[in-house]
Amino acid sequence: KELYVEKVRAVSSFDVSPTSISYHPMLVIGPPDCLTKGLEDIAECPDYRLDDPSFEPFIGQRVLFNRYNGNPLVPELSVPGKIVKIYESETGEARYEAEMLYTQRFVNGKYEPCIIESDTGSWSYPDNCMLTNVTPERRLVTNLTRADLSLPYGAWTPKERAYVGDLELEGGEGSGTYGDEYVFKHNQADTYLTEGYTEYIEVEFAEALYPVAFEAGANRGGGSLVSIKALIPCEACGDDEDHWQLMYKGQAQKEKYAETNGKGFYFQFDEDICRPSFKANVFRFEFDTSAETGIADYNYLDYIKFVGGTELAPAMLRTTGLDGATNNKIRYIPHPEAYGQDIFQLAAFDCGGDRLRSSEPGTITIEILPQKDDPIGYTIPSEPSIVCGTDESDDIELVFVAEQLDGEEISLSLLDDEDIAEVVSRGSPYYVEESGRTLVNMTIAFKANCDPALDSAPDRKQHVRFELKDGAGSTVVVDAEILVIKEDKNYISPVTLITTYSMFGFNALACVLSLLWIFVYRESAVVRAAQVPFLALIVFGAFISSLAIIFITVDDSISQEFADFSCMATVWLYSIGFMITTAALYAKLYRIERLFDLDFGHRMAFGDKESRERYKNRVSQSTLSRHIAAWVAGDVVICLVWTFYQPLKFERTVTSTWNKGEPIESYGMCDSELSLVFVSIFIVYHLVALFRLARMSYVCTEKKISGAFSEAKYIRFSVFGATQLFLLSIPLMFVVSDPESTVFLRSGLVFLNDASILAFLMVPKVYFSIFGLSNDGLGAEIIIANSGSGSGSGSKGTRKAQARPSFTQNPSYFHTVGVDSTADP
């Protein structure tokens, strides 16, 4: 991998100018930005680099931009920042989002965050670094173009051009403007006289790697890099503090400097390093800027590239320590449980010198003596798990492995356990000799113990033990844990099932009793007046609608296919049953309203034969049956389109999972992508049917037609209740998300709708049959007359009618309702 500097940790010195970041150490961060083409003034890495088309700004690059970009009311204020986002505008032009650099000022003995603010077009430090309202959002500036950006002089250079001797170089409070890591206090003599360098910089990369190489660029004063060190974390070196390990040591590259920077070319360091045997991401680069031994110039540093690997290359062992002492000892640690002969080779190299020069390799042979060890046991997979109640399988095959490193004989056997999962099959032990080891494999298939008591077990684990014995008599019992994942699918509880089935049972019983009563009393005046075919059809529709309750309670505990079937069966049964009931009620009321209409009755009594036939057909059985069939066909068409285009499916939603994503809780609901569309169509269609029925009930009530004929008053109550339930169910379906509550709610709505229709329809009929009918509406005297009893007569008088009431056979009836039978039609 190749990485660029992510962060500066420390620096020896730099030219402190808080309002400018030119020559600041932070300019070492990121890829090179002074290595450009077409610029004559490459030595200074000038701020007009953006004029070069080949120069591309990059994420993280330090730039200067207008603090108040896009605000014409405030003078432009150039502030330092970094690019955080590059994107294209609608015209394809590059746009930049930049963030003002973090700034701070020294207050009461410590640095406090501040933000640059000024309305004069210029700023000074620390006066314009405000301590209030310092938020990350206020540092962001968006929609910058390439023309809105400018660049600082883009390389770090030390404060002094050369070695200045025993002089304290201190940055003061201003050096910490952009972070504590830039505060410095350094004396060149302290390091030059003892270690041969005058300046340094410590940098950090994003990832720790095994170092392979370094590359560094300088547009001026290159060649002064004389040593590179890697920081060894204390845990890696077994000490209480971190240490620096030398990876490169050399002299200043004066000749290369003269051939590159001396002639206006870019300098790049690419010397070999002594590769350490540990990962590192913090390094120290040391420079000799003295005139005597180094490069006495403005020693710029543009970038540092770190080349490293994720895997350790052949180990590089230093024979000379940091203190110069010779170390000719190697500590050899064999791998755990290894035995037998091990061979490796060693060769000597000059660290950081010519990699082609080395000594002849020397071979070392080590004999590792075996030790008596207990056998080792484990399972494959190492963390077995069984999922209960899935469509796949609740079985698992475990491979029990017994391993003896000493080559002794070994046996493996399964032990009984009181909570062991059920053994489905057991294979024979399989012996393998491998590199002096003895392996025994035995495959055993288990079936999950999905006992309900497992639901409350906090670890959901079952234990299977197997025993290992070797030839030396060592015995080891290995406890293998099998994680049993039992998904709580939130099936409908028995209480809810009993309740909903009771709802259906009540309605079904009411329908059966109603049909029996209609059949037994079919010749009575009250039942005949109620129109037996329509009365039976209404009861039949209520029964079909109530059947939906059974399918509402179905889930995938039986099978996925039956659950999917039940989803659409619920829609078919309820919608068709509802429409049969509603359309039959409407047809029944429509016929009665027509028969008791004065104009209609007059034409039926005194019109010519053709006219009577035409009006008679309007209320005939066949005509009204076609009316009912047409309305039911509308529901059938909607159901067919829904079923064949995108039917409801029973789908599960996982609400909770185990460590590896195994579902442990879910709920199931009927759903499809267009379910809301089809439900909306049904709602509109059914509401239209209900409003038509309500209107017809109102008309019959206004004409004061006897309840024995029309039941308009009771139907009004029923329609009002059904409409209320219908409208109430719409928001409740969205509010109630619990599956069990949803089932109870839907079943209850269907039950109440059908039960109310049966109650308002049948109870008055039974009452009139038992206690008789009072003369309280149009047509009541006909029923009383034809029942052979007077007002208030009981069931014996109404059980058998004397004659069928007929307006066409009894035109004198119209005199009783105020129509002159001799009048002109």
Side-chain angles (χ1 to χ4, degrees):
K1 294 185 177 182
E2 296 183 353
L3 304 176
Y4 291 98
V5 174
E6 178 87 3
K7 177 183 177 182
V8 174
R9 290 169 54 102
V11 67
S12 57
S13 69
F14 66 95
D15 188 15
V16 178
S17 177
T19 60
S20 171
I21 58 172
S22 294
Y23 310 117
H24 196 281
M26 72 172 70
L27 300 179
V28 176
I29 295 173
D33 57 0
C34 293
L35 183 56
T36 57
K37 300 177 182 178
L39 296 178
E40 297 178 359
D41 193 13
I42 191 173
E44 291 302 323
C45 192
D47 58 358
Y48 54 81
R49 280 164 287 163
L50 288 169
D51 296 339
D52 180 4
S54 66
F55 182 81
E56 292 291 339
F58 52 83
I59 300 292
Q61 183 167 29
R62 270 51 181 176
V63 294
L64 302 172
F65 56 87
N66 177 17
R67 163 79 172 85
Y68 304 111
N69 184 58
N71 186 354
L73 301 179
V74 183
E76 292 188 7
L77 181 68
S78 180
V79 295
K82 61 181 179 181
I83 297 174
V84 295
K85 184 179 180 181
I86 302 176
Y87 58 97
E88 285 189 359
S89 66
E90 294 180 356
T91 60
E93 184 183 7
R95 287 286 191 273
Y96 304 90
E97 183 175 309
E99 179 183 28
M100 294 172 58
L101 293 179
Y102 169 85
T103 49
Q104 58 184 19
R105 59 185 289 186
F106 203 72
V107 180
N108 298 326
K110 63 178 181 178
Y111 283 102
E112 296 287 351
C114 60
I115 191 168
I116 299 169
E117 298 280 6
S118 175
D119 57 4
T120 63
S122 63
W123 66 284
S124 63
Y125 180 87
D127 297 338
N128 293 112
C129 205
M130 305 304 177
L131 298 171
T132 58
N133 201 14
V134 181
T135 61
E137 294 78 12
R138 300 191 67 233
R139 298 184 188 276
L140 286 177
V141 177
T142 60
N143 202 32
L144 294 166
T145 66
R146 189 181 178 107
D148 295 328
L149 304 177
S150 60
L151 300 176
Y153 286 92
W156 165 61
T157 185
K159 180 178 178 65
E160 299 296 335
R161 178 173 182 176
Y163 176 56
V164 295
D166 187 11
L167 178 66
E168 197 76 29
L169 304 178
E170 186 171 0
E173 297 177 4
S175 61
T177 303
Y178 300 104
D180 294 348
E181 62 270 27
Y182 301 114
V183 177
F184 67 87
K185 185 177 182 181
H186 175 60
N187 191 317
Q188 292 180 333
D190 292 342
T191 56
Y192 179 68
L193 298 178
T194 58
E195 299 185 49
Y197 70 89
T198 58
E199 303 285 345
Y200 69 88
I201 187 171
E202 294 177 14
V203 297
E204 181 176 327
F205 296 87
E207 182 180 355
L209 301 170
Y210 292 104
V212 174
F214 286 96
E215 181 184 304
N219 46 305
R220 182 171 181 176
S224 60
L225 179 58
V226 293
S227 61
I228 303 175
K229 297 172 182 175
L231 184 66
I232 311 175
C234 58
E235 59 269 15
C237 60
D239 206 343
D240 293 334
E241 59 183 28
D242 298 339
H243 293 281
W244 293 102
Q245 175 162 317
L246 186 66
M247 294 190 299
Y248 169 79
K249 184 70 174 177
Q251 301 296 320
Q253 298 172 286
K254 293 186 177 184
E255 292 183 4
K256 186 175 180 180
Y257 160 72
E259 292 297 320
T260 54
N261 290 163
K263 295 182 179 181
F265 298 108
Y266 197 82
F267 180 97
Q268 287 181 297
F269 173 91
D270 60 351
E271 299 298 311
D272 291 330
I273 64 169
C274 186
R275 303 177 185 179
S277 56
F278 58 87
K279 286 184 175 182
N281 69 325
V282 177
F283 303 94
R284 181 182 175 102
F285 295 82
E286 299 169 344
F287 304 86
D288 182 1
T289 62
S290 68
E292 293 78 11
T293 58
I295 307 295
D297 195 353
Y298 287 112
N299 304 94
Y300 293 0
L301 181 62
D302 182 16
Y303 75 98
I304 301 173
K305 181 165 70 175
F306 170 36
V307 181
T310 56
E311 300 294 332
L312 178 62
M316 308 290 278
L317 307 174
R318 293 187 57 82
T319 58
T320 304
L322 296 178
D323 56 0
T326 300
N327 178 16
N328 57 4
K329 295 180 180 180
I330 297 174
R331 186 182 181 192
Y332 176 88
I333 303 175
H335 292 301
E337 309 299 342
Y339 70 97
Q341 193 178 78
D342 192 10
I343 300 175
F344 61 93
Q345 292 183 317
L346 289 176
F349 294 83
D350 288 337
C351 186
D354 188 346
R355 62 179 179 273
L356 298 179
R357 296 178 57 214
S358 68
S359 69
E360 291 295 324
T363 302
I364 297 178
T365 302
I366 296 179
E367 195 73 28
I368 307 171
L369 299 178
Q371 297 182 10
K372 286 293 182 182
D373 296 307
D374 290 334
I376 300 172
Y378 53 90
T379 62
I380 301 175
S382 59
E383 297 180 356
S385 62
I386 306 177
V387 180
C388 291
T390 63
D391 292 337
E392 295 83 22
S393 173
D394 54 4
D395 295 355
I396 185 174
E397 278 194 355
L398 283 185
V399 179
F400 291 88
V401 181
E403 183 176 340
Q404 178 54 269
L405 303 174
D406 297 333
E408 298 174 347
E409 292 184 1
I410 187 172
S411 63
L412 182 152
S413 59
L414 186 67
L415 299 178
D416 292 331
D417 200 291
E418 59 182 5
D419 64 347
I420 187 173
E422 178 186 350
V423 177
V424 178
S425 63
R426 184 186 311 218
S428 300
Y430 175 67
Y431 291 83
V432 179
E433 292 289 338
E434 182 182 285
S435 303
R437 298 181 301 166
T438 303
L439 296 177
V440 183
N441 297 343
M442 183 169 66
T443 301
I444 301 178
F446 295 96
K447 185 177 182 64
N449 177 13
C450 297
D451 190 279
L454 191 66
D455 293 341
S456 59
D459 56 358
R460 296 174 179 260
K461 292 178 180 178
Q462 294 178 342
H463 300 267
V464 178
R465 299 184 305 156
F466 60 101
E467 184 181 67
L468 314 178
K469 290 183 180 180
D470 63 11
S474 297
T475 301
V476 175
V477 176
V478 179
D479 187 356
E481 291 183 336
I482 302 177
L483 176 63
V484 180
I485 308 297
K486 185 175 183 183
E487 182 180 354
D488 180 5
K489 295 192 174 182
N490 288 301
Y491 288 132
I492 308 303
S493 67
V495 174
T496 302
L497 286 175
I498 293 172
T499 304
T500 53
Y501 289 164
S502 299
M503 293 178 186
F504 168 72
F506 179 88
N507 279 1
L509 181 61
C511 290
V512 171
L513 293 177
S514 297
L515 290 174
L516 286 174
W517 186 85
I518 293 169
F519 178 77
V520 172
Y521 291 92
R522 64 188 181 279
E523 295 298 330
S524 68
V526 171
V527 175
R528 287 206 330 274
Q531 305 175 72
V532 173
F534 293 136
L535 199 59
L537 195 58
I538 292 167
V539 175
F540 175 72
F543 178 79
I544 295 298
S545 175
S546 295
L547 268 177
I549 296 175
I550 299 298
F551 291 94
I552 288 174
T553 62
V554 174
D555 51 34
D556 56 353
S557 58
I558 301 175
S559 72
Q560 181 66 40
E561 293 74 15
F562 188 60
D564 293 341
F565 168 79
S566 298
C567 289
M568 287 310 302
T570 301
V571 176
W572 279 86
L573 290 171
Y574 173 72
S575 60
I576 292 177
F578 174 88
M579 192 53 68
I580 289 175
T581 302
T582 306
L585 278 170
Y586 179 85
K588 179 179 180 302
L589 290 180
Y590 174 78
R591 170 185 270 183
I592 292 300
E593 188 275 333
R594 290 287 84 197
L595 290 176
F596 280 91
D597 182 76
L598 296 182
D599 181 65
F600 185 89
H602 194 92
R603 292 179 184 274
M604 286 291 293
F606 303 107
D608 55 34
K609 182 178 181 180
E610 182 180 351
S611 176
R612 288 200 303 269
E613 286 298 322
R614 185 172 64 253
Y615 278 88
K616 181 179 179 180
N617 285 334
R618 291 183 182 179
V619 293
S620 68
Q621 195 79 23
S622 59
T623 301
L624 295 178
S625 296
R626 286 194 298 271
H627 168 87
I628 296 171
W631 276 89
V632 173
D635 265 353
V636 171
V637 169
I638 299 172
C639 288
L640 282 173
V641 174
W642 195 352
T643 301
F644 288 102
Y645 182 66
Q646 195 177 71
L648 287 172
K649 299 287 185 182
F650 191 86
E651 298 177 355
R652 286 209 157 270
T653 301
V654 176
T655 57
S656 182
T657 60
W658 200 249
N659 297 336
K660 295 182 180 180
E662 304 95 334
I664 59 175
E665 186 173 5
S666 64
Y667 68 87
M669 300 281 284
C670 293
D671 196 14
S672 71
E673 291 185 9
L674 296 179
S675 58
L676 186 60
V677 174
F678 285 104
V679 168
S680 301
I681 294 172
F682 269 125
I683 288 174
V684 173
Y685 189 56
H686 285 190
L687 283 177
V688 170
L690 283 174
F691 290 151
R692 289 179 75 248
L693 179 59
R695 178 183 174 280
M696 188 54 63
S697 298
Y698 174 79
V699 171
C700 291
T701 304
E702 287 296 304
K703 290 187 176 182
K704 295 184 173 55
I705 300 172
S706 172
F709 282 103
S710 71
E711 309 96 1
K713 177 174 66 175
Y714 309 108
I715 291 176
R716 273 196 305 166
F717 294 145
S718 177
V719 170
F720 179 71
T723 305
Q724 278 192 320
L725 290 173
F726 205 68
L727 296 176
L728 180 63
S729 66
I730 297 173
L732 287 178
M733 290 302 176
F734 293 97
V735 173
V736 179
S737 58
D738 174 57
E740 188 152 347
S741 301
T742 302
V743 168
F744 187 83
L745 173 65
R746 292 178 177 176
S747 301
L749 291 172
V750 175
F751 165 74
L752 290 175
N753 181 71
D754 296 336
S756 63
I757 289 175
L758 290 172
F760 286 121
L761 184 72
M762 296 306 301
V763 171
K765 297 286 180 289
V766 176
Y767 179 85
F768 295 152
S769 296
I770 297 174
F771 299 103
L773 180 68
S774 60
N775 190 1
D776 61 350
L778 293 180
E781 69 276 13
I782 297 177
I783 298 177
I784 295 172
N786 281 275
S787 65
S789 61
S791 176
S793 60
S795 61
K796 291 182 180 180
T798 59
R799 176 72 178 270
K800 181 71 174 178
Q802 302 300 317
R804 295 181 181 272
S806 172
F807 302 124
T808 57
Q809 295 176 358
N810 186 16
S812 61
Y813 163 72
F814 291 97
H815 290 283
T816 65
V817 294
V819 179
D820 184 359
S821 60
T822 62
D824 188 342

